[in-house]
Amino acid sequence: MKIPKSHPRYASLMARRSIERGVRTGITSLGGLAAQGRGEAFDYLIGEKTTKSAKKSIEAAAALLFLAKNPVISINGNAAALAPKELVELSSSVPAKLEVDIFHASKGREIRIKKHLIRSGAKKVLLPDKNTKIKYLESNRKYVNKEGIYRADVVFVPLEDGDRTEALVKNGKKVIVVDLNPLSRSARKATITIVDNITRAVPLLIKTIKRYKKSNEIRLQKIIKGYNNKKMLKEALKEINKNLGRSK
Ligand code: PTJ
């Protein structure tokens, strides 16, 4: 069925379609469907738009990525289905490495995600390696690539499960997450949390990084220093409360 562009839920239905296609083509896990549903519910609550506080988080995240020495973008089955071209463009504009890291272990899915990113324009995509592990993690996501997440100073993990965010921070990394749920463990454990839909946040990150290329380092350092993640999460919750109040 073709979804008309005029449909009031066009963006949401298209995203759902991308996830369904991701599952059918073996890129996204079945668990990814549940994650998408949870995300959609929170997107309703934030008003399906990039909020003021999310814009502030995007500014800080772009500065952190841009000034990083070895930034890495971590890709799972949902991120690969929802924003492959945008994530590849982000990786070349920072520039940052791309690494596939999935929660539901499957070598086949790792390879299919890598191929999907290459088809979307990526030149190089790293895969986790069973001989390289990060500490403080039991799940499949403890395996990382030696050239990628293992030695990264900043890791961008759109749409994450909380355990790994916490472990990456304990491993001394600065972690940026995109999570529509401001109450999630990843949201609370990350260095910078962008409470927004990955489909809106990544294009804005690309735009902001382009703007920063004309900026100076001191100004960007100031943006990072002035950023307070707890405050941004509180603001996100306030925005949700305001939206709930409106519907009464
Ligand atoms: O491909 P794999 O095996 O690595 O699996 C990926 C998922 C996402 C299934 C896995 O990491 C997982 O189970 O994640 P969780 O614990 O369900 O967390 C996903 C979080 O992402 C939830 O807090 C959702 O609200 C949020 N979320 C879902 N869709 C979006 C989103 N955040 C931003 N943009 C979205 N489109």
Side-chain angles (χ1 to χ4, degrees):
M1 189 194 91
K2 194 167 167 12
I3 301 163
K5 279 208 166 133
S6 57
H7 193 292
R9 309 221 37 77
Y10 181 76
S12 174
L13 290 172
M14 290 308 283
R16 198 178 278 191
R17 192 163 270 191
S18 301
I19 290 287
E20 286 166 7
R21 194 180 304 125
V23 173
R24 274 199 309 273
T25 54
I27 284 172
T28 309
S29 68
L30 275 176
L33 287 169
Q36 171 72 11
R38 184 148 55 152
E40 281 180 15
F42 277 99
D43 211 1
Y44 252 83
L45 295 177
I46 67 163
E48 292 181 307
K49 60 174 191 327
T50 305
T51 61
K52 250 193 193 166
S53 61
K55 281 183 191 154
K56 286 187 209 159
S57 300
I58 287 170
E59 300 253 308
L64 195 61
L65 276 171
F66 190 61
L67 296 184
K69 291 204 164 46
N70 194 6
V72 175
I73 302 172
S74 170
I75 311 278
N76 65 19
N78 284 53
L82 288 171
K85 286 198 177 116
E86 295 79 359
L87 288 162
V88 169
E89 189 182 341
L90 179 67
S91 83
S92 57
S93 76
V94 174
K97 290 173 185 151
L98 287 163
E99 177 170 335
V100 178
D101 277 283
I102 56 178
F103 178 70
H104 304 93
S106 155
K107 199 72 215 158
R109 200 153 62 85
E110 281 172 11
I111 292 164
R112 284 190 290 276
I113 293 174
K114 176 176 175 166
K115 284 187 179 158
H116 184 54
L117 293 173
I118 303 266
R119 276 196 302 273
S120 304
K123 298 227 159 45
K124 189 176 174 185
V125 178
L126 303 172
L127 291 183
D129 149 24
K130 292 273 178 213
N131 299 313
T132 313
K133 285 191 245 176
I134 54 165
K135 287 185 277 181
Y136 314 114
L137 201 58
E138 289 304 318
S139 76
N140 183 56
R141 293 185 120 178
K142 64 177 174 275
Y143 300 115
V144 291
N145 188 292
K146 206 166 197 167
E147 299 307 311
I149 289 176
Y150 187 72
R151 62 173 58 156
D153 54 345
V154 175
V155 190
F156 178 49
V157 275
L159 232 158
E160 176 64 346
D161 61 293
D163 271 20
R164 194 164 70 126
T165 303
E166 190 172 12
L168 286 169
V169 170
K170 278 194 189 161
N171 277 272
K173 323 245 177 234
K174 298 222 160 78
V175 181
I176 301 164
V177 301
V178 182
D179 194 330
L180 280 159
N181 176 4
L183 296 167
S184 78
R185 250 158 54 87
S186 1
R188 286 183 284 116
K189 297 290 176 186
T191 316
I192 296 177
T193 305
I194 303 168
V195 181
D196 198 8
N197 199 311
I198 180 182
T199 55
R200 295 189 296 266
V202 177
L204 288 174
L205 272 170
I206 297 168
K207 242 189 187 168
T208 311
I209 283 170
K210 276 190 187 143
R211 185 155 49 80
Y212 284 174
K213 287 188 176 165
K214 293 178 205 132
S215 193
N216 67 55
E217 192 176 328
I218 296 166
R219 194 185 145 242
L220 300 187
Q221 291 285 12
K222 226 170 139 186
I223 294 175
I224 298 169
K225 272 212 180 108
Y227 181 80
N228 180 333
N229 205 47
K230 272 200 183 131
K231 193 172 155 213
M232 285 312 119
L233 292 179
K234 268 193 191 151
E235 283 193 20
L237 286 170
K238 268 193 212 156
E239 275 148 350
I240 289 177
N241 266 329
K242 211 165 86 190
N243 286 337
L244 286 171
R246 260 198 211 118
S247 61
K248 272 180 201 156

